[in-house]
Amino acid sequence: MTGSDPSRLPSIRSFALAAAAFSAGWSLMMLEILGSRLMAPHFGYSVYQWGAVIGVVMTFMAAGYWTGGQIGDGPKAVPALRAALLAGVAAAALTPWLGKPMLADAAGRFSAVEGSVLGAALILGVPSFALAVVSPICAGLSSLSGAAAAGRIYAVGTLGSIGGTFFASFYAIPEVGVSAGYALAAVLPALACVFVPGGKRMAAVAALAVPVAWAAGHGEGQGFAVYRETPHNTIMVQEDAEQIRLHLNVAWATQSRLRKDGGPTGLYYDLFAAVPALGNGTRVLVLGLAGGAAAKEILDVWPGADILGVELDPAVVEVARDKFGLRPEVRVAVEDARRHVERSEERHDVVIVDLYSTALIPFFTATEEFFAAVERRVAPGGVLVMNVASPMDRDALVGPLAATQGAVFASVYVADAGRGNYLLIATKEKRTLEDLGVRLRAAPAGAAYAASRILETLAPAELQGHPVLTDDRSDIDQRSLAALYGR
């Protein structure tokens, strides 16, 4: 904003202010996207988490806009502009280090709903306020005046926000990871400091934040046989001499487990060996393939089974093939599960639904509309078998999901799969408990243990008094949190 040629001052000033506004918008939206990913292991990808992130960011942005407008082009404008950019850089540098323990503490002290709001405030409050201060100050310092200055600056800032959103979503997270993404979020506001009067020295200091944030990602995957960030998941594989386990987004939830001696896992996957006995054939659709545990259990007993697995994340399929020995005969469709059942023309004797995103069931795969699409994929005499994880509060999920399936399927039964997991078994035609028992007792010898485990607790599901979940109205996010955490 200074120079020897007075005729160049307006253009230099305009460039400097545009650079500051653009970088602030870019960094703020990167931090919002990265923050939601950082929060996911503690609060899931629920509507509450996203509501908390968006609400907190908008609240602090409103305060920042107000403050920046009050400062305007007064004597404190340039120092405040420098401080706001530096605060954004500092937040980007420190969040990978401080954010995780703060979020873990908030998750331990508060409910998932309250904790998500507090967690979002802890990691996003300061940068949202500071970076929002930038645009109104830049508008005040602009050589233009009034609405023209505000319109131009806010347009440039919005372009920066668009760029930061796409960059974080489509490059930073899947290509370099969350921690390194924070480092990249610090780059532009650090560079913008160069163009602010008195900011060159500060820019040098701010530039140090980039390697600080980048270093947070060093060793992120230590202790894992595989650690990989994708647009859909953080994929973690733990392996020891006895077993190998797949975790998606949270290390405490197991998506697939494989014992190296070929023995039973001790988890609900073992029971899938018996489910083909409930249908009229061995054409099996697995929605939520993960590492392929369900497919393995079925093929071990029913070697001629025709299994189609649907998995959203192609990287998970790669891990299933490379680390979990997913067999070549298992067909795989890399596709969203709901999209698949709505568009496919195939019919299956058994449809297994085991769909989770960061330990929560995606709401659109637990509604009457979804189960109606699944029912169309079930062949005559076939069944739907759904895994429901509800360790802390069984009725929070089992009842509503059974009632929702009951709105579409003729009969719905439930069996306790152990360790807080339940199997909902919905039949296309009316079936009695005695009929299911006969089918399970006739299962091959290799499935006898699984069949007996199902029979021990198999009973008609309670449908009355529970809501039917729909695309238009579903409280499954809240119910899932109660089911998992008991609050």
Side-chain angles (χ1 to χ4, degrees):
M1 294 181 191
T2 61
S4 58
D5 185 355
S7 66
R8 297 182 59 219
L9 287 176
S11 61
I12 295 174
R13 177 190 294 268
S14 297
F15 175 81
L17 296 175
F22 184 90
S23 66
W26 177 286
S27 184
L28 176 54
M29 290 309 300
M30 278 200 70
L31 294 178
E32 182 174 352
I33 300 296
L34 292 165
S36 68
R37 188 67 171 250
L38 199 68
M39 291 174 63
H42 306 283
F43 307 108
Y45 275 130
S46 71
V47 67
Y48 298 110
Q49 188 249 35
W50 274 109
V53 168
I54 295 171
V56 163
V57 169
M58 297 301 290
T59 298
F60 281 89
M61 284 181 68
Y65 286 147
W66 178 274
T67 302
Q70 294 297 107
I71 295 171
D73 60 351
K76 296 181 180 180
V78 173
L81 182 58
R82 290 197 301 260
L85 291 170
L86 185 59
V89 172
L94 297 177
T95 298
W97 296 96
L98 304 180
K100 294 176 183 179
M102 289 193 298
L103 292 171
D105 185 65
R109 293 174 180 268
F110 300 94
S111 71
V113 175
E114 296 166 345
S116 62
V117 175
L118 177 61
L122 287 172
I123 66 171
L124 291 168
V126 170
S128 297
F129 172 82
L131 294 172
V133 166
V134 172
S135 287
I137 291 179
C138 289
L141 293 172
S142 174
S143 58
L144 299 176
S145 61
R152 180 175 295 182
I153 290 297
Y154 280 92
V156 171
T158 301
L159 288 175
S161 297
I162 295 169
T165 299
F166 283 113
F167 185 78
S169 302
F170 295 100
Y171 176 76
I173 290 175
E175 296 297 330
V176 301
V178 173
S179 296
Y182 275 99
L184 296 177
V187 170
L188 286 189
L191 289 174
C193 293
V194 174
F195 303 104
V196 177
K200 291 183 179 180
R201 183 177 299 176
M202 187 183 72
V205 175
L208 297 176
V210 177
V212 168
W214 194 277
H218 181 70
E220 187 79 51
Q222 288 186 356
F224 295 99
V226 175
Y227 187 93
R228 183 174 174 183
E229 294 273 3
T230 78
H232 303 289
N233 297 292
T234 299
I235 301 172
M236 297 166 281
V237 175
Q238 292 185 319
E239 184 175 5
D240 56 35
E242 298 180 351
Q243 63 181 338
I244 180 168
R245 300 188 304 277
L246 173 66
H247 310 279
L248 300 178
N249 302 311
V250 290
W252 54 264
T254 301
Q255 270 67 42
S256 287
R257 181 184 181 190
L258 177 68
R259 276 182 48 170
K260 294 184 176 180
D261 63 2
T265 66
L267 302 177
Y268 70 93
Y269 317 115
D270 298 338
L271 304 190
F272 288 137
V275 298
L278 297 169
N280 285 343
T282 56
R283 296 171 299 172
V284 180
L285 172 65
V286 181
L287 300 177
L289 181 66
K296 176 189 180 301
E297 296 297 333
I298 292 170
L299 285 172
D300 283 350
V301 178
W302 313 79
D306 176 16
I307 300 180
L308 171 61
V310 177
E311 176 58 50
L312 178 63
D313 193 338
V316 171
V317 178
E318 292 177 14
V319 170
R321 298 283 193 200
D322 295 341
K323 302 296 291 186
F324 288 82
L326 182 66
R327 299 182 193 177
E329 60 263 38
V330 176
R331 297 181 293 130
V332 177
V334 178
E335 191 175 12
D336 175 79
R338 176 152 176 178
R339 180 180 175 85
H340 178 84
V341 294
E342 289 178 340
R343 294 168 62 91
S344 174
E345 296 297 328
E346 281 195 63
R347 289 268 186 116
H348 308 271
D349 302 300
V350 177
V351 176
I352 294 173
V353 177
D354 194 12
L355 296 167
Y356 283 85
S357 175
T358 314
L360 303 181
I361 300 174
F363 91 91
F364 53 88
T365 63
T367 64
E368 183 178 358
E369 293 86 348
F370 170 73
F371 291 122
V374 172
E375 193 274 342
R376 293 192 292 271
R377 305 279 65 78
V378 178
V383 296
L384 158 70
V385 180
M386 181 180 189
N387 168 54
V388 181
S390 196
M392 299 300 295
D393 186 347
R394 175 187 185 275
D395 292 334
L397 282 179
V398 171
L401 288 172
T404 304
Q405 292 178 7
V408 176
F409 286 85
S411 306
V412 184
Y413 294 86
V414 61
D416 189 337
R419 300 195 179 190
N421 289 85
Y422 300 87
L423 295 184
L424 284 175
I425 300 171
T427 65
K428 191 176 182 76
E429 291 84 21
K430 195 73 175 177
R431 297 271 193 87
T432 65
L433 186 61
E434 291 73 18
D435 176 50
L436 295 181
V438 169
R439 288 171 177 265
L440 286 169
R441 293 185 186 95
Y449 168 75
S452 65
R453 282 278 312 279
I454 294 174
L455 278 169
E456 285 175 5
T457 58
L458 187 64
E462 291 289 338
L463 309 184
Q464 298 300 318
H466 295 289
V468 173
L469 308 178
T470 67
D471 286 351
D472 182 64
R473 188 167 186 175
S474 173
D475 61 352
I476 195 169
D477 287 333
Q478 181 178 359
R479 291 181 175 277
S480 294
L481 295 173
L484 289 175
Y485 304 108
R487 54 187 181 183

